[in-house]
Amino acid sequence: MAVHSLKAEPKNLHGFFSRDLSAVLTVDTGDTVRYETLDAGWGALQQAKNLGIPQDFAPRDRQRDFGHALTGPLAVRGAEPGMTLEVRVNRIRTGTWGWSAGPGLPSQMDERLGFAKAPSGPPAVITVPTGDQATMWSLDPNQGLAHNRLGQTLRMRPFMGVMGMPANEPGVQTTFPPRFCGGNLDCKELVEQSRLYLPIAVEGGLFSLGDGHAVQGDGEVAGPALACPMELVELEFHLHTRMQLSLPRAFTPAGWLTFGFHEDLNEAWAIATREMVQLMGEFYQLQPKEALALASLVMDLRITQVVNGVRGVHALLAHDAIDASKNGV
């Protein structure tokens, strides 16, 4: 199996999904790709060696690349609509800086929580002091710690917020909502040693990733998490020609996940639950009513994120919830 590299350089970067994008790399099932990514806001990867202010990546067409900075797209040889792409997250290593922001960014969440945008001045952010409007954290990937100027330290749990492929639709597709074929999932459980399963909608798949998070809570309630560039994201790709999914699912250190996406949070949790009922039926040969009754005892519902327009809910079935001998693929 081959090992490839994709650097965060202009030819490999884009800020949208589209079935019309040309793949920058084509791999075979079983291949590994070592990625470098910018932070979601396109700050240049090496601008903060001494906690300096990141500069906007250049060149960047802001009209076209309006979304998260994504590395890719990658095509998997033989991938066709109706198949499933398995993405194994083998390694993640953050850069040495990141940023976060709170009330002050214009958003419906700020308004709902009673934080109106201030008439002037920067957003309320937790920062390392590098300038009047710096929004920096200092990250130590060796220790797995993030530090801010208030003397607070967080244990990092890095993951990629965006992993996905375009739908089979014309034109440009925004990077902000999660979709059936992946995208801005913002699921904090997709850490190292996770496997994400995504339905393929277009020939080759055209997989991209970005929006690195050093740490995030379920909900991502302020808008951004602790956004950061990634020095290394090592992914291994496997094509499942006979597995047919309608929505993503994932095998994580915490357990199996199924997802639900909808503008209405009630619809999102119902979708995630139906998907878990289906998964439990497959794994444990349960009828839907039996699986739902058991799910009420062993399944946890968690709000993935509420800030991307389309809300996300993930259902979690811990590996030892029913029978630890039946938790593999």
Side-chain angles (χ1 to χ4, degrees):
M1 305 301 180
V3 178
H4 311 267
S5 295
L6 278 179
K7 297 293 186 181
E9 53 192 24
K11 67 185 178 113
N12 298 331
L13 289 166
H14 55 287
F16 60 97
F17 287 103
S18 174
R19 67 184 185 184
D20 299 321
L21 275 172
S22 298
V24 298
L25 175 67
T26 299
V27 303
D28 291 305
T29 186
D31 283 0
T32 294
V33 180
R34 293 173 177 165
Y35 288 87
E36 183 182 70
T37 70
L38 303 183
D39 69 295
W42 294 76
L45 190 61
Q46 300 297 329
Q47 288 294 324
K49 288 183 178 179
N50 298 308
L51 295 180
I53 304 297
Q55 303 297 312
D56 199 33
F57 185 86
R60 176 190 178 191
D61 182 343
R62 282 184 167 272
Q63 186 172 4
R64 187 193 75 153
D65 296 318
F66 56 88
H68 303 82
L70 303 183
T71 304
L74 166 150
V76 179
R77 194 171 282 108
E80 298 288 346
M83 298 179 182
T84 294
L85 182 65
E86 176 188 347
V87 183
R88 298 186 182 180
V89 183
N90 292 335
R91 290 182 62 195
I92 304 178
R93 181 179 173 85
T94 72
T96 57
W97 61 272
W99 60 271
S100 63
L105 293 175
S107 72
Q108 292 183 354
M109 297 306 300
D110 276 6
E111 294 177 7
R112 183 177 294 273
L113 294 172
F115 294 102
K117 190 179 188 309
S120 62
V125 293
I126 300 176
T127 69
V128 171
T130 58
D132 291 341
Q133 297 190 36
T135 60
M136 299 288 293
W137 288 70
S138 173
L139 307 184
D140 183 342
N142 294 322
Q143 297 295 319
L145 299 175
H147 308 278
N148 66 33
R149 66 183 174 92
L150 302 178
Q152 297 165 338
T153 298
L154 301 181
R155 173 67 60 183
M156 294 196 296
R157 197 166 181 263
F159 70 96
M160 300 308 297
V162 176
M163 292 190 284
M165 299 173 285
N168 188 18
E169 301 170 357
V172 169
Q173 300 162 31
T174 175
T175 65
F176 290 102
R179 296 184 178 86
F180 74 94
C181 46
N184 195 20
L185 301 176
D186 280 338
C187 180
K188 73 173 190 178
E189 300 298 342
L190 297 175
V191 294
E192 286 185 349
Q193 307 311 309
S194 296
R195 305 176 192 175
L196 177 63
Y197 297 85
L198 298 172
I200 295 171
V202 300
E203 184 177 353
L206 299 180
F207 176 89
S208 299
L209 85 163
D211 190 26
H213 293 168
V215 66
Q216 179 200 297
D218 284 331
E220 200 185 19
V221 294
L226 205 174
C228 67
M230 294 294 184
E231 290 184 2
L232 173 66
V233 183
E234 184 177 286
L235 304 182
E236 185 179 322
F237 294 92
H238 292 268
L239 185 62
H240 295 271
T241 59
R242 296 184 179 180
M243 180 186 293
Q244 293 186 329
L245 299 178
S246 58
L247 283 165
R249 64 173 57 167
F251 178 91
T252 75
W256 276 98
L257 306 182
T258 57
F259 293 89
F261 312 126
H262 201 276
E263 292 83 356
D264 185 329
L265 198 59
N266 283 321
E267 291 293 330
W269 75 254
I271 294 168
T273 300
R274 286 197 295 268
E275 289 292 307
M276 181 57 75
V277 165
Q278 179 178 330
L279 182 147
M280 292 171 66
E282 295 170 9
F283 286 6
Y284 302 106
Q285 293 76 54
L286 297 171
Q287 295 300 312
K289 288 184 179 180
E290 297 171 332
L292 180 59
L294 191 56
S296 193
L297 310 182
V298 298
M299 183 193 80
D300 293 315
L301 282 177
R302 297 181 178 175
I303 298 175
T304 319
Q305 57 74 28
V306 294
V307 298
N308 294 325
V310 176
R311 276 62 173 166
V313 171
H314 58 279
L316 168 65
L317 180 68
H319 294 307
D320 60 354
I322 300 174
D323 184 343
S325 69
K326 297 181 180 179
N327 59 21
V329 179

